[in-house]
Amino acid sequence: MSIASAGLRAATLGVQAAASNVARLPVAEATRTGVAQTAVAGGGVDASLVEAAADPAAPVSDLLAAKEAVLAFAANATLIRRSDQMLGALLDERA
């Protein structure tokens, strides 16, 4: 569950970074942000915002990054939901 929770946080940060980049497209001197993820001992990831390089295909890559983060969020949420269901079923069997 902690691995999936870390994935949820990283995915949320990814959506926020992509949305911020899209919102700042009209600003000429705006810097782009990205998400750096590092593996954590014992499982999971640690995510943080970093400055990203300029990208001529920024609108497309930001929208794809947002979609990827949404799918990662959904996958981790499904994992947490299924884990909760399995734990509930196990406790029902033991009662």
Side-chain angles (χ1 to χ4, degrees):
M1 288 264 260
S2 65
I3 294 171
S5 296
L8 288 175
R9 287 189 296 277
T12 300
L13 203 55
V15 170
Q16 290 172 349
S20 176
N21 288 339
V22 170
R24 289 183 285 136
L25 277 173
V27 180
E29 299 295 322
T31 58
R32 296 175 32 75
T33 57
V35 177
Q37 297 184 25
T38 55
V40 175
V45 294
D46 186 30
S48 60
L49 289 176
V50 295
E51 188 172 326
D55 182 7
V60 174
S61 62
D62 288 329
L63 292 174
L64 289 175
K67 182 63 176 176
E68 178 184 357
V70 167
L71 291 173
F73 186 94
N76 284 298
T78 299
L79 181 73
I80 290 173
R81 198 173 316 115
R82 296 291 184 248
S83 178
D84 186 48
Q85 289 171 347
M86 287 188 324
L87 182 60
L90 177 65
L91 292 175
D92 287 346
E93 289 295 321
R94 295 188 58 106

